[in-house]
Amino acid sequence: MKQKAERKLWQKFDVFSVIIYVLLAVIAFSMLFPFWNAVVLSFNEGRDAQMGGIYFWPRKFTLSNYEQVFHTPDIWRAFFVSILRTVLGTLTTLIVTPMFAYALSKPHLKFRKFYMGIMLVSMYFNGGMIPTYLVVKGLNLINNFWVYIVMWMFNAFYATIFLSFYRGLPASLFESAKIDGAGEGTIFLKIATPLSKPTMAAIGLFVAVNHWNAWQDNLLYMKNEAWNTLSFLFVKMIKAQESLEGLAAQTGVSELSKLSSVSSTTIQLATMMVAVIPIICVYPFVQKHFASGMMIGAIKG
Amino acid sequence: MKKEKKAGARSGWKEFLNQKDLQLMVLPALICIILFNIAPLFGLQIAFKDYKLNLGIWESPWAGFKHFEAIFSDTNIADVLINTLGLSFIKGFVTIPLPIIFALLLNEVTHSAFKRTVQTISYFPYFLSWSVVALMATSWFSPQSGFINSFLTGTGILEKPYFFLGEAGAFWWISVFLDVWKNIGYSSIIYMAAMSGVDQEVMEAAVIDGAGRFRRIWHVTIPAILPTIMIMLILNVGNLLKGGSNFDISYNLGNVLNQSRSEILDTYVLKIGITMARFSYATAIGLLQSVVSAILLVTANTVSKITTNESFF
């Protein structure tokens, strides 16, 4: 991999190559710069940031935004709620979904066609926001931490990935274990699961990232502030600021919006970094998996 | 005859018990599907009922098509529909071609370290939460601290800072920009995968026959990714009324100042249903939206099947 790729017959370096490289460099820059700018602002003094004109580097460097963040108990709490839901959510998904797929990979499974059908239905049809909300309400899951977990435990797309993996395993692997008297549960745990480790790791990473980033279930089903997730804190920050800015625009008092958002933008961005750093940490692993094209198979269906 | 059937049923039951460990493995997922996918489907009936909290889904009285008729006399619906369709059409014209162009450009790059760097940067925003992206957007577009206003006033394009997020006319473009920024890299992967399947010998043959860079792309690479493009187009038509990321953007960045251009069907259903507790009416809107989406999807699929022989199902 390290050695330079051999240049093919048609890949000669001409003026168009230069244009392509420049274009791609511009695209990459415009992808990276807005994020970098947010990072820079989180290290800048709040009042100074309000004057604008900060692009690539902090004008008045400070760590006080981060200090503020670390001294806010609500942020700590939301951080741990997010960690809890991510860990529990990923673990339960990695139990429920592959278990289902493993059973369905057995052609002799009774009602297999029915299970398959119901899985396909769940892939393409859903009741929509309100009926789902009413069911969740009926199950007493409103304002209940477990609403973050149970609705994600089964995922039909990941199930199809596991299903094609288990189907690809040679039947002889399982037959010898069966002759030794192992039950299906043991075979699943001792033979199928260790073999599926790479698949588990890849899907686990995706599930974890999705859990970490989720905010809509918090908005719809969790009114208890104590169980807010980190991702949802940002929604609340945006809404709080919007209402102030709206007020300022309506009353024509531009000083009001200036006053209220003094230093708050930079602190908000520092809080944002707390949510983004874990994503940056797992990103190399995630990228390795999806670049291999595995997740695309799931999209293609 | 009867006896035989009974015996068959009994052996079926026996078979079921014999594989009870397998059946137990199905059970948790089955419960999840029934509770969170199938039960809400039955809940759709409240679109034809007057849903009362104390009576529940099944006991509430039938109301016929009352709520569907109400949709057509709702004065907000026109704006909401214009925004939903407008955003979807603009995004269709932008978010389908741009990832293809991006993938075509990347495919021409021979320097592997450069290619990998561009890919790493461009895929990254996809893995950020929409709430994070929306928060950053409030900073980028801010009249005070935002770099966009700083740049525009600094270069003299604008005389004074512009409150982009408070302007209805700017909302669609902000939404398109954020969607492209977050998803262009990730959306290009599917085309990169299709391009990597191009037969190298066909490529060589084209070059020996004297094809230049553009003819090669036009006659070899594009035909190879055409099936993928068609599938993406069909899915996009099916999503005209739903639009994947539109809810994330419209909910987070929509406010009283820009709501005439930011309110879409999904945020409207949320407002009517959850905030105002008009469950039956909101469900009727959602159901109509899904039915029209399904019709659009099937139509697009059929048209594509007839004209290009490519289809999704």
Side-chain angles (χ1 to χ4, degrees):
Chain A
M1 277 307 266
K2 277 271 180 276
Q3 77 208 39
K4 208 172 162 194
E6 199 181 318
R7 189 162 288 172
K8 301 276 165 36
L9 172 63
W10 60 86
Q11 290 165 332
K12 59 174 187 286
F13 201 85
D14 55 8
V15 66
F16 287 115
S17 306
V18 178
I19 296 174
I20 287 169
Y21 278 79
V22 170
L23 261 178
L24 283 172
V26 169
I27 293 174
F29 171 79
S30 51
M31 304 290 296
L32 190 59
F33 172 71
F35 177 68
W36 176 247
N37 185 260
V39 177
V40 165
L41 277 184
S42 76
F43 284 106
N44 199 82
E45 204 264 318
R47 221 169 268 272
D48 177 66
Q50 292 305 106
M51 297 192 289
I54 297 169
Y55 298 98
F56 299 99
W57 210 246
R59 192 163 47 211
K60 277 191 184 169
F61 181 85
T62 177
L63 289 173
S64 70
N65 299 318
Y66 287 90
E67 256 167 54
Q68 279 264 29
V69 168
F70 289 123
H71 287 114
T72 312
D74 280 356
I75 295 172
W76 277 108
R77 201 183 153 94
F79 181 74
F80 285 116
V81 171
S82 279
I83 290 199
L84 191 63
R85 81 166 281 180
T86 303
V87 171
L88 279 177
T90 309
L91 283 178
T92 48
T93 306
L94 286 184
I95 294 168
V96 171
T97 301
M99 233 163 59
F100 177 82
Y102 176 78
L104 257 69
S105 72
K106 304 287 162 200
H108 62 273
L109 179 78
K110 209 132 176 61
F111 308 123
R112 198 177 65 90
K113 285 220 172 92
F114 168 72
Y115 298 143
M116 208 67 152
I118 211 171
M119 180 182 85
L120 287 175
V121 167
S122 81
M123 227 185 239
Y124 295 108
F125 299 96
N126 64 73
M129 189 186 291
I130 306 299
T132 309
Y133 173 83
L134 291 176
V135 168
V136 170
K137 201 175 157 82
L139 291 168
N140 256 332
L141 284 170
I142 301 285
N143 293 338
N144 184 331
F145 171 77
W146 292 99
V147 76
Y148 294 146
I149 311 292
V150 290
M151 295 187 78
W152 295 61
M153 286 200 301
F154 178 75
N155 181 305
F157 285 106
Y158 298 146
T160 55
I161 295 175
F162 277 116
L163 187 56
S164 60
F165 172 81
Y166 293 132
R167 273 191 185 145
L169 294 175
S172 55
L173 261 177
F174 304 118
E175 269 154 22
S176 54
K178 242 182 206 159
I179 290 165
D180 291 344
E184 288 288 2
T186 321
I187 294 175
F188 172 70
L189 275 179
K190 296 272 163 71
I191 298 174
T193 305
L195 284 171
S196 70
K197 257 185 201 157
T199 316
M200 288 265 187
I203 291 179
L205 277 171
F206 269 74
V207 176
V209 169
N210 284 337
H211 263 289
W212 186 257
N213 286 343
W215 60 274
Q216 294 187 5
D217 46 6
N218 198 159
L219 168 77
L220 287 167
Y221 311 125
M222 181 61 75
K223 305 281 174 229
N224 186 350
E225 307 255 314
W227 289 105
N228 276 346
T229 61
L230 197 51
S231 297
F232 188 65
L233 281 194
F234 307 131
V235 179
K236 288 190 63 189
M237 286 177 185
I238 297 167
K239 291 292 155 196
Q241 190 161 323
E242 266 167 9
S243 59
L244 272 167
E245 271 164 0
L247 199 66
Q250 273 170 347
T251 53
V253 189
S254 61
E255 286 306 304
L256 190 66
S257 76
K258 234 183 211 166
L259 204 73
S260 66
S261 51
V262 160
S263 80
S264 72
T265 306
T266 51
I267 291 175
Q268 284 172 2
L269 292 173
T271 318
M272 178 205 86
M273 288 306 294
V274 177
V276 172
I277 287 166
I279 297 284
I280 295 177
C281 292
V282 298
Y283 180 55
F285 305 100
V286 179
Q287 199 198 358
K288 196 179 82 192
H289 286 298
F290 73 72
S292 66
M294 194 181 112
M295 291 298 154
I296 286 159
I299 300 167
K300 274 183 183 161
Chain B
M1 191 70 181
K2 223 177 188 179
K3 223 175 185 178
E4 242 172 58
K5 212 175 175 185
K6 219 175 178 181
R10 193 174 297 150
S11 77
W13 181 236
K14 219 172 172 184
E15 210 183 316
F16 184 84
L17 281 181
N18 268 341
Q19 44 174 243
K20 63 175 179 298
D21 35 7
L22 274 182
Q23 296 289 345
L24 273 176
M25 292 166 90
V26 173
L27 196 62
L30 189 65
I31 293 172
C32 284
I33 299 174
I34 289 173
L35 286 183
F36 301 115
N37 280 293
I38 308 297
L41 286 176
F42 283 99
L44 279 171
Q45 61 179 284
I46 66 165
F48 304 95
K49 286 182 162 180
D50 274 325
Y51 180 76
K52 300 274 189 316
L53 269 176
N54 53 340
L55 294 177
I57 291 169
W58 295 96
E59 301 293 319
S60 293
W62 291 97
F65 285 89
K66 191 175 92 183
H67 301 296
F68 292 92
E69 282 159 20
I71 296 175
F72 294 98
S73 53
D74 186 332
T75 48
N76 295 321
I77 280 289
D79 256 355
V80 171
L81 260 183
I82 289 171
N83 294 335
T84 311
L85 290 172
L87 276 169
S88 293
F89 272 112
I90 298 175
K91 286 189 181 177
F93 277 109
V94 175
T95 59
I96 290 188
L98 282 186
I100 298 172
I101 295 168
F102 182 58
L104 286 172
L105 289 175
L106 266 180
N107 201 41
E108 294 295 307
V109 169
T110 44
H111 193 286
S112 63
F114 179 81
K115 188 174 178 175
R116 223 177 310 125
T117 311
V118 173
Q119 281 177 305
T120 303
I121 292 171
S122 66
Y123 299 163
F124 176 67
Y126 176 82
F127 294 95
L128 297 176
S129 172
W130 264 116
S131 67
V132 164
V133 175
L135 183 78
M136 283 198 284
T138 61
S139 156
W140 301 337
F141 291 105
S142 159
Q144 288 100 33
S145 59
F147 71 84
I148 294 174
N149 269 309
S150 297
F151 178 77
L152 291 177
T153 49
T155 52
I157 297 171
L158 280 182
E159 261 176 39
K160 57 178 186 168
Y162 186 73
F163 186 23
F164 289 97
L165 287 168
E167 206 64 53
F171 185 83
W172 286 9
W173 307 107
I174 290 173
S175 181
V176 171
F177 166 76
L178 292 180
D179 201 331
V180 170
W181 184 76
K182 191 170 189 289
N183 292 329
I184 185 174
Y186 194 77
S187 313
S188 71
I189 295 176
I190 192 164
Y191 301 110
M192 296 290 288
M195 282 175 200
S196 68
V198 173
D199 195 337
Q200 301 292 300
E201 280 174 24
V202 178
M203 231 16 155
E204 266 166 41
V207 175
I208 289 166
D209 287 348
R213 187 190 292 268
F214 291 103
R215 303 195 120 222
R216 218 180 58 230
I217 292 175
W218 186 252
H219 291 292
V220 183
T221 314
I222 301 245
I225 61 171
L226 200 61
T228 316
I229 296 176
M230 286 317 292
I231 285 175
M232 288 322 216
L233 272 176
I234 296 167
L235 286 178
N236 207 56
V237 173
N239 262 335
L240 272 180
L241 285 178
K242 292 187 167 168
S245 58
N246 283 347
F247 178 79
D248 298 271
I249 305 172
S250 281
Y251 180 79
N252 281 313
L253 297 178
N255 54 43
V256 278
L257 297 173
N258 64 18
Q259 73 174 350
S260 62
R261 281 291 159 263
S262 65
E263 191 90 90
I264 55 168
L265 276 171
D266 289 329
T267 54
Y268 192 59
V269 167
L270 175 78
K271 193 187 264 179
I272 295 277
I274 313 274
T275 318
M276 295 162 73
R278 292 172 64 192
F279 295 111
S280 286
Y281 182 49
T283 307
I285 299 175
L287 182 57
L288 196 60
Q289 179 191 13
S290 303
V291 170
V292 175
S293 298
I295 292 170
L296 285 174
L297 183 64
V298 172
T299 312
N301 196 57
T302 315
V303 169
S304 166
K305 207 181 223 165
I306 292 166
T307 55
T308 65
N309 224 2
E310 298 292 345
S311 65
F312 187 58
F313 48 79

